[in-house]
Amino acid sequence: VRNEVQHAGVQYILDSVVAQLAADPSRRFVYAEVAFLARWWRQQDEATRRTVRQLVEQGRLEFVGGGWCMSDEAAAHYGPAIEQLALGRRFLRREFGACGTPRVAWQIDPFGHSRQLAAVFAQMGYDGLFVGRVDHQDKATREQLQEMELLWRASGSLPPPAADLFTGILPNVYNPPSGFCWDQLCSDPPVVDEDSEENNVDSIVSAFLQIAASQAESYRTNHIIMTMGSDFHYENANLWFKNMDKLIAHVNARQANGSRVHVLYSTPSCYLWELHRANLSWSLKTDDFFPYADGPHQFWTGYFTSRPAFKRYERLSNNFLQICSQLEALAGPVAREGPYGPGNSSVLREAVAVAQHHDAVTGTEKQHVADDYARQLAAGWESCQLLVANALASLSGSKENFIFCNGLNISVCPLTEAAGRFTVILYNPLGRRVSWPIRLPVNGASYAVTDPQGQPVPSEVSPGQLPRPPARPAVWELLFQASAPPLGFSTFTVSRLSRGDPRPHPARTPVLSQPQDIQNEHLRVLFDPLTGHLKEIQNLDKSISLPVFQNFYWYNASVGNDESPQASGAYIFRPNSSEPIPVSSSKRVSTHLVKVGGGDGVPGAGGVPRVLSPQPCLLQNALVQEVHQNFSSWCSQVVRLHAGQPYVELEWTVGPIPVADGWGKEIISRFETTLQTDSRFYTDSNGRQILERRRDYRPTWNLSQTEPVAGNYYPVNSRIFIKDKKFQLTVLTDRSQGGSSIFDGSLELMVHRRLLYDDNRGVGEPLVELGANRQGLVVRGRHLLLLDTVESAADQHRLLAQELFMAPYVVLAPGGGPSYRHGQPSLRQFSALRRELPPNVHLLTLTPWDAGTLLLRLEHQFERGESVNGSQPVTVDLLNLFSAFTITSVQEMSLGADLPLNAISRLVWTPAIGPAQPRPVPKLDPSRVTLQPMEIRTFLATVRYKVPG
């Protein structure tokens, strides 16, 4: 819409291309992103639709990729990445049938490529993948060795060739050869072939043949591919097609003089077919394509962290979408047409899908575009909240005035702050019971909390966390530990016992004697009494301890120098020194200790928090213990131990990052330990597989390292860890971040960045995010720390990562609403499962599909060999799993859910190490569904809902 910012009109491209294809049967065009296609399609008349369907059936218009968008591969989590592909593929299948189903994955613009996404493409039935961007050193090596096309083995757990994916690297990213750009946005000369002094046929044909011969040297067969187009091209498709028609005719005419080059319009699937017919064996790759650099000082590793608030909002939005979809599936049609109005999950589904785009969740868009993505997500939340209210009323039997406090992250919720009595409904989207800490802003001094059975739940009132939003009273927080059954909810009642002023705020000045330690039944965390920094973590269950020092630092963003003019920006991370600067100007950080709990365990008793000078004797029955650390006026952290939780929670608050000194800053949280890590560290791939990383090393080529920090950064979607022979320190994240281990025993995560220069990769503006008050963005997030033995670490981090990703969700109500159906008793606790899922099984998807059918994805969430128990195959009885409905029939589908599993037939490629034969699809027994490590199985289930009453 904003042509003054960026002229880009996909609707005009489609209008123009369809007309040009219809004009000449030899022409071809490929199209990738369905979100824009779907909008355009809705506006077309039946005649145009007929034409387009005919073009698709004839293979002249080919859909490639076929996701709702061309997703990012670094910051996108595998859950929403699968869903956005499925959403696009479902549209194509519905509107264009079998010919519209993409056979080729087309990731030509993302900035690096992930192993997990390659495994996803393979399991969706794609024959191959084409990519545009690989590291410049990697590409140079591959061109020399003729390894621009390869076989990518994208899983170490799934038996080959289940996750094998043929991968082709395009010669020129996604652009035409130099001198052959004929769009209205280009300035290359057109082909002039009439009788005139401008006639340039000879020179154009000779230049083209030279380019073709040079390109052919890097590829193994006598077929090569050229991409003729670029960003925003083909609004006037006639320019391209007219000149390409001439080029094809004149190049092929040279065959009469002995030229052996034949040019034709083609598509990626036709090209792939020819490569397959060549019957060659291909080099095997098992790592991934991160990090990506397009020059010696140009590592695209900044976007792993860029726009951290949006990255969190995307993650939360997917979390809520899963809850919304589950409740829609569990309650049935009444969720969409209930007492609260028409509920609709598709608004949020499409918004989350488009947020996976390689210029969305990446943070590499202009500010106004980022604002628009956020606005679309917010609109999706609204329509899903109606659906959730309808579903909860139906399932609980009570028409409450459901309230969604979207401001709980900044301790704002008018209901809990004002009401003397209210109910808290905790919905758990996981397939196992969870215990979850509840924190609600309140103004009373003490409260009584009761669980679904009416039993008292220990609770406390504690001072809320600083900094507080402007113009807000000093609100306190009510804390209690809630538990919810699998795929269900628990309802808690909260009553204010005494209004009283909750005591004057304890002085928030640093206490004279610094806190020494905090402890619960699993962990003890020690602090340096002189500096206030984290010093040591002890795992009491295993009797192990590890010195761990943590601090915040900033890298000074480069503005370019003599070596290279490259500045740090939204895409590119380039510090001007490998040594970061501590955020705190003094060696000491001011700290104070808050212990909440005690009394005799009766709700409200002893509810006054104590800000202590720590004494050797510690309260063991505290609900929560916190050390508040202040590193500077714009950087603070709470180190928190909840009762019963086997991890340390670090809640960091960073911003507004000061830039008045003229320096852009990239903020990291760094952990230093005594672990002997031998240059190795481990990061996840899209929140799923774990990959080993080695500092200053790449598995497939001899790296010449030119950026010792940025060149060792990798995407961290959910976790990063370091280990030695015995112990492992794992940090889990609540959003995608960049991370590394810059020296042995250390581990760091970039949490926020604010830059003053554009990095010249297409955003056209610096990443300065001003935030709501225009002073600079303040971001809050959590790192969860796990210390364990190497053998047991996966048992903890696998389950905890899913708990962070599919977190329970709080809905509030004043209570006392009328019953949903006359005479129906209200349910204070509900589970849609007859029994918990085994710990190594995750319910990835439960969502309505067509009338009377649900889509269900179950996955094994462990890799082969990473856990003695967790990595075993596991069997689930699908027919007796759910109590909310009865499954009457089941069909197993491909991962994309658009094809039955037994209809998937992929091209089989031979790796250089020898062939792997595809296994036949076993007959489905829905009462015995076995999952192997890392396997995802997808089902369409026909269901019958119980008639209430």
Side-chain angles (χ1 to χ4, degrees):
V1 180
R2 298 197 175 187
N3 276 335
E4 79 281 4
V5 176
Q6 174 70 67
H7 185 84
V10 176
Q11 56 178 325
Y12 314 128
I13 293 171
L14 286 163
D15 292 342
S16 185
V17 163
V18 167
Q20 290 300 320
L21 290 176
D24 181 342
S26 70
R27 293 171 174 175
R28 302 282 182 275
F29 192 78
V30 299
Y31 185 90
E33 297 187 302
V34 173
F36 285 121
L37 176 71
R39 285 180 72 169
W40 178 81
W41 188 250
R42 286 196 292 268
Q43 296 169 2
Q44 305 311 304
D45 59 24
E46 203 40 55
T48 308
R49 289 184 176 194
R50 251 197 321 274
T51 303
V52 174
R53 286 197 179 103
Q54 200 175 0
L55 291 170
V56 171
E57 277 160 23
Q58 293 167 352
R60 292 158 58 197
L61 173 62
E62 177 170 304
F63 297 121
V64 289
W68 202 244
C69 67
M70 188 185 296
S71 77
D72 175 52
E73 302 202 28
H77 190 280
Y78 75 95
I82 288 170
E83 290 211 355
Q84 77 85 19
L85 276 166
L87 185 64
R89 290 177 64 94
R90 189 179 187 196
F91 174 87
L92 294 176
R93 185 91 189 162
R94 190 173 65 233
E95 298 297 337
F96 303 102
C99 294
T101 300
R103 305 285 313 186
V104 174
W106 191 248
Q107 292 287 99
I108 57 173
D109 197 18
F111 333 123
H113 302 280
S114 79
R115 193 178 190 215
Q116 180 58 44
L117 218 57
V120 164
F121 287 130
Q123 291 168 83
M124 283 202 181
Y126 290 90
D127 287 321
L129 160 71
F130 288 97
V131 301
R133 300 183 184 276
V134 299
D135 185 275
H136 66 112
Q137 291 183 34
D138 189 8
K139 189 175 182 186
T141 307
R142 289 182 177 282
E143 284 176 334
Q144 215 174 345
L145 299 172
Q146 282 197 337
E147 289 185 358
M148 292 288 278
E149 290 159 335
L150 57 128
L151 191 62
W152 194 353
R153 181 151 289 168
S155 172
S157 297
L158 301 173
D164 288 1
L165 187 66
F166 183 89
T167 303
I169 299 163
L170 296 172
N172 206 16
V173 187
Y174 48 73
N175 297 302
S178 177
F180 293 81
C181 188
W182 290 309
D183 198 79
Q184 59 196 16
L185 299 171
C186 308
S187 49
D188 291 341
V191 181
V192 182
D193 56 359
E194 62 264 25
D195 188 10
S196 117
E197 63 216 38
E198 259 87 49
N199 184 303
N200 56 6
V201 167
D202 274 356
S203 62
I204 278 189
V205 169
S206 299
F208 183 84
L209 290 172
Q210 202 176 343
I211 286 169
S214 160
Q215 184 182 320
E217 288 174 15
S218 303
Y219 292 83
R220 289 178 63 199
T221 73
N222 62 348
H223 293 267
I224 61 171
I225 187 170
M226 288 183 182
T227 46
M228 304 300 280
S230 192
D231 295 325
F232 316 123
H233 284 202
Y234 286 89
E235 274 194 32
N236 182 352
N238 179 45
L239 276 70
W240 263 115
F241 282 115
K242 191 169 187 173
N243 283 283
M244 286 192 290
D245 288 347
K246 292 180 180 181
L247 179 74
I248 289 168
H250 292 298
V251 170
N252 293 345
R254 285 264 183 116
Q255 292 165 18
N257 302 339
S259 166
R260 297 174 58 210
V261 174
H262 182 75
V263 188
L264 72 161
Y265 283 114
S266 186
T267 65
S269 66
C270 295
Y271 174 64
L272 202 60
W273 185 254
E274 289 296 342
L275 293 182
H276 188 257
R277 274 183 52 189
N279 208 17
L280 300 170
S281 62
W282 304 88
S283 66
L284 196 69
K285 179 182 176 70
T286 56
D287 59 319
D288 65 2
F289 288 99
F290 286 116
Y292 163 62
D294 57 357
H297 301 285
Q298 300 154 358
F299 280 91
W300 299 44
T301 54
Y303 81 93
F304 300 161
T305 297
S306 296
R307 299 198 188 280
F310 181 69
K311 280 181 164 64
R312 177 64 181 150
Y313 192 37
E314 176 275 324
R315 190 66 58 92
L316 275 173
S317 298
N318 178 69
N319 191 165
F320 190 55
L321 172 62
Q322 299 313 312
I323 287 165
C324 179
S325 298
Q326 286 182 5
L327 282 166
E328 186 178 4
L330 298 177
V334 295
R336 291 184 287 278
E337 297 297 332
Y340 302 91
N344 182 357
S345 59
S346 68
V347 186
L348 187 55
R349 186 167 294 109
E350 291 179 11
V352 170
V354 90
Q356 306 311 310
H357 188 275
H358 59 273
D359 281 316
V361 70
T362 52
T364 53
E365 62 281 83
K366 291 178 190 290
Q367 184 62 53
H368 81 88
V369 179
D371 294 344
D372 186 61
Y373 285 130
R375 185 191 55 74
Q376 289 185 47
L377 289 171
W381 278 72
E382 281 189 20
S383 49
C384 253
Q385 283 172 346
L386 284 175
L387 197 151
V388 166
N390 287 334
L392 283 176
S394 160
L395 294 169
S396 70
S398 182
K399 282 194 284 197
E400 298 291 346
N401 175 19
F402 294 112
I403 289 174
F404 300 87
C405 274
N406 296 330
L408 282 177
N409 62 324
I410 53 167
S411 301
V412 173
C413 183
L415 173 70
T416 62
E417 290 170 53
R421 185 182 171 89
F422 56 89
T423 61
V424 177
I425 301 140
L426 183 68
Y427 179 82
N428 170 23
L430 291 170
R432 59 176 193 276
R433 176 173 283 277
V434 290
S435 173
W436 196 253
I438 304 287
R439 290 181 160 255
L440 299 168
V442 293
N443 277 315
S446 59
Y447 288 78
V449 180
T450 54
D451 70 10
Q453 288 75 38
Q455 296 303 306
V457 177
S459 68
E460 300 295 347
V461 174
S462 124
Q465 191 178 335
L466 299 171
R468 202 165 295 302
R472 298 277 310 155
V475 173
W476 292 58
E477 285 186 323
L478 171 69
L479 312 181
F480 63 95
Q481 198 71 19
S483 147
L487 210 63
F489 60 81
S490 293
T491 305
F492 298 82
T493 303
V494 179
S495 315
R496 187 166 56 209
L497 295 177
S498 67
R499 190 175 273 278
D501 187 21
R503 312 280 166 94
H505 233 302
R508 280 195 181 264
T509 51
V511 281
L512 292 171
S513 102
Q514 293 276 350
Q516 312 270 319
D517 67 350
I518 52 176
Q519 180 174 338
N520 68 8
E521 55 271 53
H522 301 294
L523 292 167
R524 184 169 176 231
V525 183
L526 288 79
F527 295 84
D528 186 311
L530 295 174
T531 66
H533 285 111
L534 179 66
K535 182 175 81 168
E536 186 181 330
I537 298 175
Q538 299 176 355
N539 178 331
L540 304 175
D541 300 326
K542 304 277 173 76
S543 303
I544 58 179
S545 75
L546 182 69
V548 181
F549 169 82
Q550 184 270 340
N551 200 3
F552 288 93
Y553 301 85
W554 57 278
Y555 287 109
N556 198 337
S558 176
V559 299
N561 61 10
D562 296 345
E563 258 184 324
S564 161
Q566 183 61 57
S568 218
Y571 296 89
I572 287 171
F573 171 35
R574 188 183 182 210
N576 72 358
S577 158
S578 298
E579 286 301 315
I581 298 155
V583 165
S584 174
S585 49
S586 82
K587 286 242 181 331
R588 225 179 124 154
V589 296
S590 67
T591 59
H592 66 267
L593 183 68
V594 178
K595 290 200 173 179
V596 179
D600 51 14
V602 177
V608 180
R610 294 175 271 288
V611 177
L612 301 176
S613 305
Q615 303 303 321
C617 102
L618 282 169
L619 284 166
Q620 295 306 311
N621 62 346
L623 277 180
V624 66
Q625 304 180 31
E626 301 176 344
V627 171
H628 292 239
Q629 299 171 310
N630 202 31
F631 294 84
S632 74
S633 61
W634 53 273
C635 177
S636 62
Q637 180 170 264
V638 178
V639 183
R640 189 178 284 133
L641 270 185
H642 283 282
Q645 288 185 342
Y647 56 84
V648 187
E649 179 182 323
L650 305 181
E651 189 174 44
W652 47 268
T653 304
V654 175
I657 299 174
V659 288
D661 55 9
W663 294 111
K665 297 176 182 65
E666 330 223 15
I667 317 303
I668 61 164
S669 172
R670 179 183 278 177
F671 302 84
E672 297 175 32
T673 74
T674 52
L675 293 174
Q676 305 288 309
T677 52
D678 190 25
S679 302
R680 286 165 170 78
F681 57 106
Y682 300 81
T683 64
D684 66 277
S685 178
N686 308 103
R688 200 153 192 263
Q689 301 182 49
I690 307 289
L691 275 74
E692 180 184 276
R693 310 298 192 180
R694 273 171 68 186
R695 194 159 55 252
D696 299 333
Y697 173 84
R698 303 288 185 266
T700 58
W701 84 92
N702 193 1
L703 174 71
S704 160
Q705 184 62 278
T706 46
E707 284 285 333
V709 175
N712 284 307
Y713 257 63
Y714 288 86
V716 178
N717 228 277
S718 63
R719 76 210 81 179
I720 178 171
F721 60 80
I722 49 175
K723 63 181 185 179
D724 61 12
K725 298 278 187 293
K726 290 186 186 164
F727 304 139
Q728 177 169 320
L729 182 73
T730 310
V731 183
L732 283 89
T733 63
D734 63 355
R735 73 202 73 195
S736 288
Q737 294 173 334
S740 188
S741 172
I742 299 296
F743 53 89
D744 278 5
S746 79
L747 173 164
E748 67 187 54
L749 287 156
M750 189 185 291
V751 296
H752 199 357
R753 51 204 310 257
R754 189 177 184 188
L755 307 165
L756 303 177
Y757 295 88
D758 178 44
D759 55 8
N760 203 24
R761 288 301 181 285
V763 191
E765 61 184 43
L767 185 70
V768 290
E769 295 194 284
L770 293 173
N773 64 357
R774 317 300 293 162
Q775 302 300 302
L777 188 66
V778 181
V779 184
R780 178 173 289 165
R782 297 191 303 154
H783 288 148
L784 305 188
L785 244 65
L786 293 167
L787 171 65
D788 211 330
T789 59
V790 169
E791 308 83 64
S792 309
D795 292 326
Q796 287 225 48
H797 74 68
R798 283 287 175 196
L799 273 63
L800 194 51
Q802 289 295 16
E803 212 169 284
L804 263 178
F805 178 67
M806 299 261 283
Y809 184 73
V810 170
V811 181
L812 299 150
S819 55
Y820 184 76
R821 287 179 200 83
H822 185 64
Q824 180 186 6
S826 67
L827 273 181
R828 296 179 59 79
Q829 190 155 302
F830 164 84
S831 173
L833 296 187
R834 294 186 192 277
R835 60 188 63 83
E836 284 199 16
L837 285 171
N840 48 3
V841 176
H842 176 55
L843 177 64
L844 179 61
T845 311
L846 175 62
T847 191
W849 202 245
D850 294 317
T853 61
L854 303 177
L855 175 68
L856 186 65
R857 286 192 189 93
L858 285 174
E859 66 166 317
H860 195 305
Q861 59 182 358
F862 282 76
E863 289 191 69
R864 204 173 67 196
E866 71 180 355
S867 159
V868 175
N869 296 322
S871 298
Q872 298 301 320
V874 59
T875 301
V876 176
D877 177 356
L878 212 52
L879 298 180
N880 284 313
L881 183 59
F882 295 94
S883 59
F885 45 75
T886 306
I887 293 178
T888 54
S889 69
V890 181
Q891 183 180 25
E892 186 157 10
M893 306 297 284
S894 69
L895 183 58
D898 55 333
L899 290 167
L901 187 61
N902 55 16
I904 291 279
S905 136
R906 299 171 66 216
L907 297 179
V908 179
W909 304 84
T910 307
I913 58 168
Q917 281 312 312
R919 301 173 182 216
V921 175
K923 189 173 180 320
L924 174 66
D925 175 359
S927 66
R928 291 192 58 78
V929 172
T930 300
L931 293 159
Q932 302 291 337
M934 283 283 110
E935 187 176 18
I936 306 176
R937 295 185 67 175
T938 305
F939 305 96
L940 277 184
T942 309
V943 299
R944 194 173 61 242
Y945 288 95
K946 301 232 169 80
V947 181

